């Protein structure tokens, strides 16, 4: 088996959408494992470990170059594996230059601003990788499935209905284009879990005392809106997938494969930046030479008797 992360484009590109015109969620199988099989799982896990080392090296160059930032937006239904994907894929990188932001139900201050505001505050600075665990996309996902939420958002009367969602898609495209124009690479990942697999994971949380804390009865209630959520995700991806801010619809029924694809997408993004360590020239080289000369001229410390 070829190393799945040495050829990252071959791993993640089949799930990448840069033009949503013809996108249909039903065309993407949540149980897909690409060219790998369950028997490849042990080697795939080892490949992920090597990939994480490569990711750490590329992140170090990103930080040193201090020109670009990377924003990874992760969206999914409950129990799709967002937290575990973040934990495993980013486990080897320097926490000094990675920031993970989780967005829950907006508070009163956030509701007094536009829907992009709270996420804009958490954007990664140059040289950093930012991970959004949920994001401004909740405003065209959960809010669309539950439009009664709009009552608390103090919005103007217009636009409303379908025009409101179209306006938000337009605002999101403009926001992401602005970020790309200013050096922030935006990559959006939808962890595509099946309804059956979600049920299996919910039951695991109920049956395992160490996982009970993860379970919420509200999550089960949301399963009743499954079709509405799938339509909302399909529309959001179709309307906001662009070359500058593509979506990756990642199969999420097999976590070992999910993590490979997520890591692959981030590695592919960093590789596209042609990252290099800054070169020292001019006066700095002279300063370095002088500093080296001074250090070498120092006498060795006397041995203690």
């Amino acid at each position: 088996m070829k190393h799945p992360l040495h050829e990252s484009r071959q791993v993640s590109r089949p799930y990448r959408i840069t033009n949503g015109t013809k996108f249909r969620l039903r065309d993407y199988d949540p149980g897909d494992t690409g060219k790998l099989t369950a028997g490849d799982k042990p080697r795939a896990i080892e490949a992920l470990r090597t990939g994480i080392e490569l990711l750490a090296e590329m992140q170090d160059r990103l930080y040193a170059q201090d020109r670009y930032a990377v924003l990874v937006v992760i969206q999914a239904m409950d129990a799709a594996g967002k937290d575990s994907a973040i934990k495993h894929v980013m486990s080897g990188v320097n926490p000094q230059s990675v920031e993970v932001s989780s967005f829950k139900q907006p508070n009163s201050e956030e509701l007094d601003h536009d829907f992009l505001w709270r996420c804009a505050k958490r954007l990664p600075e140059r040289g950093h990788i930012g991970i959004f665990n949920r994001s401004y996309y909740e405003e065209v996902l959960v809010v669309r499935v539950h439009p009664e939420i709009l009552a608390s958002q103090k919005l103007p009367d217009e636009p409303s209905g379908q025009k409101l969602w179209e306006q938000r898609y337009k605002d999101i495209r403009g926001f992401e284009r602005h970020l790309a124009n200013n050096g922030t690479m935006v990559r959006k990942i939808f962890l595509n879990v099946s309804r059956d697999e979600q049920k299996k994971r919910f039951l695991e949380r109920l049956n395992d005392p160490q996982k009970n804390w993860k379970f919420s009865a509200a999550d089960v209630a949301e399963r009743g809106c499954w079709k509405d959520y799938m339509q909302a995700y399909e529309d959001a991806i179709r309307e906001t997938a662009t070359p500058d801010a593509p979506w990756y619809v990642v199969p999420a029924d097999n976590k070992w494969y999910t993590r490979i694809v997520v890591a692959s997408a981030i590695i592919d993004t960093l590789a596209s930046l042609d990252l290099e360590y800054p070169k020292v020239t001019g006066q700095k080289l002279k300063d370095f030479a002088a500093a080296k000369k001074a250090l070498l001229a120092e006498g060795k410390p006397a041995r203690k008797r």
Side-chain angles (χ1 to χ4, degrees):
M1 183 184 73
K2 292 183 179 179
H3 191 310
L5 290 175
H6 281 173
E7 300 179 350
S8 64
R9 293 188 177 186
Q10 283 72 14
V11 177
S12 60
R13 286 297 175 94
Y15 310 107
R16 174 175 169 147
I17 298 96
T18 58
N19 184 337
T21 304
K22 297 181 180 180
F23 173 73
R24 295 295 181 273
L25 189 55
R26 65 173 178 267
D27 295 334
Y28 291 79
D29 178 11
D32 183 27
T33 56
K35 296 180 180 180
L36 307 180
T37 65
D40 294 319
K41 181 177 176 180
R43 285 181 290 173
I45 292 174
E46 176 61 21
L48 176 61
R49 185 190 65 78
T50 306
I52 290 171
E53 293 175 358
L54 174 60
L55 177 58
E57 178 186 336
M58 299 177 78
Q59 179 221 13
D60 193 53
R61 294 183 184 184
L62 176 76
Y63 182 74
Q65 192 181 69
D66 197 29
R67 177 175 297 174
Y68 299 100
V70 175
L71 173 63
V72 181
V73 174
I74 301 182
Q75 294 285 158
M77 296 292 286
D78 293 307
K82 297 188 302 298
D83 291 336
S84 64
I86 295 169
K87 176 181 176 181
H88 284 80
V89 172
M90 307 306 292
S91 61
V93 299
N94 184 350
Q96 181 180 346
S97 55
V98 174
E99 299 138 12
V100 179
S101 301
S102 297
F103 295 96
K104 308 290 186 181
Q105 183 176 343
N107 59 36
S108 58
E109 180 188 19
E110 291 165 345
L111 288 171
D112 274 336
H113 292 81
D114 66 90
F115 76 94
L116 293 168
W117 179 78
R118 65 174 182 159
C119 293
K121 290 200 306 176
R122 300 308 303 263
L123 289 170
E125 60 189 272
R126 299 187 194 281
H128 288 226
I129 297 175
I131 310 288
F132 281 2
N133 184 341
R134 302 192 188 277
S135 68
Y136 44 86
Y137 276 97
E138 293 295 284
E139 295 296 325
V140 292
L141 294 170
V142 65
V143 178
R144 182 169 178 179
V145 173
H146 298 287
E148 63 273 13
I149 295 174
L150 290 169
S152 65
Q153 295 191 355
K154 308 173 186 177
L155 299 175
D157 293 335
E158 294 292 339
S160 61
Q162 182 59 29
K163 289 184 178 180
L164 172 63
W165 310 122
E166 291 173 357
Q167 181 63 61
R168 288 192 170 183
Y169 296 140
K170 182 179 178 181
D171 290 340
I172 289 172
R173 290 193 300 268
F175 179 63
E176 292 175 345
R177 187 181 308 113
H178 166 74
L179 294 179
N181 288 343
N182 287 274
T184 297
M185 310 294 288
V186 182
R187 298 294 182 265
K188 290 116 51 171
I189 294 172
F190 171 50
L191 299 185
N192 185 25
V193 70
S194 68
R195 197 167 189 265
D196 288 343
E197 180 63 22
Q198 187 197 54
K199 176 181 177 180
K200 175 184 174 183
R201 294 179 186 178
F202 279 167
L203 289 172
E204 288 175 352
R205 292 179 178 182
L206 287 168
N207 294 330
D208 184 347
Q210 294 185 355
K211 294 183 178 181
N212 285 170
W213 65 274
K214 293 183 177 181
F215 183 77
S216 168
D219 295 343
V220 175
E222 288 295 271
R223 278 174 62 82
C225 304
W226 187 272
K227 289 185 178 179
D228 292 336
Y229 272 110
M230 293 303 102
Q231 186 61 59
Y233 271 108
E234 181 175 289
D235 290 346
I237 294 169
R238 184 187 301 139
E239 293 290 337
T240 62
T242 66
D244 287 334
W247 275 97
Y248 290 83
V249 179
V250 178
D253 279 7
N254 298 282
K255 289 186 178 181
W256 60 270
Y257 187 69
T258 302
R259 294 162 187 165
I260 287 177
V261 178
V262 172
S264 167
I266 299 174
I267 290 172
D268 190 20
T269 301
L270 292 171
S272 72
L273 298 177
D274 193 25
L275 300 170
E276 297 289 346
Y277 289 108
K279 294 182 179 179
V280 178
T281 59
Q283 184 59 45
K284 278 193 174 182
L285 276 178
K286 295 179 181 178
D287 293 342
F288 283 7
K292 182 178 179 180
K293 183 178 179 180
L295 289 168
L296 292 174
E298 290 181 1
K300 294 182 179 180
R303 292 183 179 179
K304 292 183 179 180
R305 292 184 179 181

